[in-house]
Each structure stands twice: as C-alpha cells, then as structure tokens.
Amino acid sequence: MYPILEKRALAEQIWLMKILAPRVARSARPGQFVIVRADERGERIPLTISDYDAAEGSVTLVIQAIGASTRKICALGEGDALADFAGPLGRPSEFVSTPPEELRRKRFLFVAGGVGAAPVYPQVKWLHERGVAADVIVGAKTRGMLIYTEPMRAVAGQLHIATDDGSEGDKGLVTQVLERLVGEQGRRYDECIAIGPMAMMKFVALATKKYGLKTTVSLNTLMVDGTGMCGACRVTVGGRTRFTCVEGPEFDGHEVDFDEAMRRQGMYRNEEQRAAAIEAEREAGHQCKIGLDK
C-alpha cells in the first residue's frame, strides 16, 4: 500500500496528491510516469509525475477527476492509501541525458496547457537546478483553472500566462503568446517542449515548424494500460507506428500525426461514459441503502 501524505485542491476537480513511494522517488526522472490503482479492483491509471523528492521518499501527482476511476482516486484523502504505485515508467525527457556543459548553452521554451502545467514543472525545475534557462507559457480557460503558476514562477526564467477569457495574463491562446515571443520579438530558443491537450500541442507544433524550432510533445493522454500491450497508445510518428507507453511519452512534435492521435484518444469515450453511469448508479444505490438503514 502507498499512503497519501498530502492532498489539496488546485482547481475545480483537479487535485494534488503526494504519495509515499521511496523506490519510485529515488529513480524518477522528468518526463516519466507511474501507474496507480485505487484498490484491488481498480483500473490501472497512467499518470505523469509532477514532482518527486528522493530524500522524503515522496512522488507528487496531479489528477483531474474526469472519469469513474480518477474520481475514485480523488475521493481518497490524507491517510488513505493507493493499492498499487508502479514506476517510474516511460523514457525520461531527452535533455536529461545531455552533457551539463552542452545543456547550459541551450535555451528552452515550455508551453503548458491546463493540467499539462503539472508535468512541465519537474522538467523546468530540473533544468533550473542545473543552471539552464527556460521560459514558460502556461495557458488555461480561466484564472480559476490555472495551476502551478507560483511554483513555476520560482524556477522559470520568465513565466507568461494566457487565459481564454483574459482573467489573468494575455487574453487568448498559448500559441498567440508563442508567436509574439518568437515571431514578433525574435527571441531565440533551441527547443520547445509542449504538454497539454492534443489540439493545443498540434497547433504549437505547427507554429514552431515555421521557425524551424525543434519541438517535443508528450502524448501521455493516449496511454491506457501503461505497458504498450493493449495497443491503445499506438501513434504514427515520422511515418512509423510507435507505442507511447514504452517508446515515449515524448516525441518529435513535427513528426506526430496529431489527427490520428486525436481520433485514437476518442476511441474509449463511450466506454468511459458507461463506466461513469455505472458508478453513479452504484453510488445512488449506496446512498439509498444508507437512507433505509436510518
């Protein structure tokens, strides 16, 4: 069992959980993920690591309660425990293996959309600790949906915020901020790393391609079983079939077939809706039984 050391709300239906998992904490690197289960009958859920502390033995996850299984996990509290916590899985971010001297000569631009700010944070933090400059663009629908802005501000060279409604930062999309920085202001970056909704990453990659800016994207939202065996994470990259769970989750954004990836992402929507309906019926029955017992 893996105890929950800390739980707090970051935004509506978005929770931060710090889990006691010493072995994973000692081995984790930016870009990797874990597989968790709420209980012995629970679904395997792949979640990208949002932070880790080897000394404390803790791993931090950010979970959005959008389906039956993630809602079950988010219903747990401090002192409860997860049944399984497997990892770290996937390949670390490419820059982790770059020699320090070469890395410090580079300048990175990160683009995070929504919950994507959580897996971006450990990457920016890791670079900051090694003296590497990284600017960050964080986007969300509204100010209330922004997460990780203060921790990000502490490790980023410059933090730029964009909200759809203009309630904080620039009004508009993250791609508009990117175009201003690179296209209008002529800022030079060696690599862009984008993590967030699939459509956002697609348009970030289209924007950076115009400028010849190397772009890496994380396809973590495609993962289902986390081992590559189910095949749900298949994606075409550079004309080749790749498996996100074992060969990623990060790939060259200019070579990803995003249209195919978005179609694959929607394959299990009906199953998820059915699972949510079953869970709602089960909960309604449970509440009814409580009422009768009274």
Side-chain angles (χ1 to χ4, degrees):
M1 303 294 282
Y2 297 86
I4 299 170
L5 303 176
E6 178 186 348
K7 177 190 177 184
R8 55 188 168 91
L10 298 181
E12 184 179 356
Q13 298 300 313
I14 300 175
W15 298 87
L16 178 148
M17 286 188 174
K18 184 182 287 188
I19 315 297
L20 183 63
R23 187 189 63 80
V24 179
R26 288 193 301 268
S27 306
R29 295 293 180 270
Q32 292 185 295
F33 67 95
V34 295
I35 294 176
V36 307
R37 286 199 307 161
D39 52 44
E40 292 183 357
R41 294 187 175 184
E43 180 186 8
R44 295 158 54 89
I45 303 293
L47 296 167
T48 311
I49 295 170
S50 301
D51 203 0
Y52 50 90
D53 186 326
E56 184 182 42
S58 66
V59 177
T60 301
L61 305 175
V62 171
I63 309 167
Q64 187 169 19
I66 54 175
S69 296
T70 49
R71 284 199 296 271
K72 182 184 288 187
I73 293 171
C74 291
L76 299 173
E78 294 178 5
D80 292 331
L82 296 170
D84 290 322
F85 197 89
L89 301 169
R91 296 185 176 184
S93 301
E94 183 181 340
F95 59 72
V96 170
S97 59
T98 303
E101 302 79 15
E102 180 182 340
L103 201 59
R104 281 191 285 269
R105 291 195 296 268
K106 293 188 174 184
R107 188 171 184 85
F108 290 82
L109 175 65
F110 286 83
V111 184
V115 183
V120 159
Y121 172 71
Q123 300 195 25
V124 179
K125 178 184 175 183
W126 191 93
L127 290 169
H128 174 76
E129 290 171 346
R130 287 154 181 80
V132 183
D135 291 344
V136 182
I137 305 170
V138 173
K141 290 183 178 180
T142 68
R143 179 180 184 177
M145 294 302 290
L146 287 167
I147 64 171
Y148 268 76
T149 51
E150 290 312 308
M152 201 79 78
R153 205 182 304 276
V155 295
Q158 286 189 334
L159 176 63
H160 305 271
I161 294 174
T163 50
D164 291 359
D165 63 357
S167 51
E168 185 163 340
D170 290 289
K171 181 178 182 179
L173 306 175
V174 291
T175 47
Q176 293 172 276
V177 180
L178 187 153
E179 289 280 4
R180 188 182 76 241
L181 296 179
V182 179
E184 297 175 20
Q185 298 180 8
R187 298 197 189 189
R188 305 292 298 177
Y189 297 100
D190 297 285
E191 183 174 352
C192 174
I193 297 175
I195 305 179
M198 199 71 71
M200 182 215 81
M201 293 189 293
K202 173 183 176 178
F203 286 102
V204 167
L206 287 172
T208 57
K209 193 170 185 177
K210 296 185 301 183
Y211 302 108
L213 175 56
K214 177 182 177 182
T215 299
T216 299
V217 297
S218 178
L219 304 183
N220 49 33
T221 54
L222 283 179
M223 300 189 295
V224 176
D225 82 330
T227 67
M229 294 179 68
C230 73
C233 68
R234 292 194 308 276
V235 64
T236 301
V237 182
R240 293 175 51 216
T241 298
R242 308 289 294 273
F243 289 80
T244 303
C245 293
V246 292
E247 297 182 81
E250 297 183 349
F251 296 98
D252 184 336
H254 297 156
E255 294 193 342
V256 171
D257 185 336
F258 281 104
D259 293 333
E260 175 197 61
M262 285 188 281
R263 288 195 299 272
R264 186 169 297 282
Q265 194 176 27
M267 285 175 60
Y268 300 98
R269 192 166 293 131
N270 290 338
E271 285 79 0
E272 184 57 56
Q273 289 170 347
R274 279 197 290 272
I278 292 169
E279 187 67 25
E281 288 180 9
R282 185 179 293 120
E283 179 63 23
H286 176 67
Q287 294 298 329
C288 181
K289 184 177 183 303
I290 291 174
L292 290 172
D293 288 344
K294 289 180 179 179

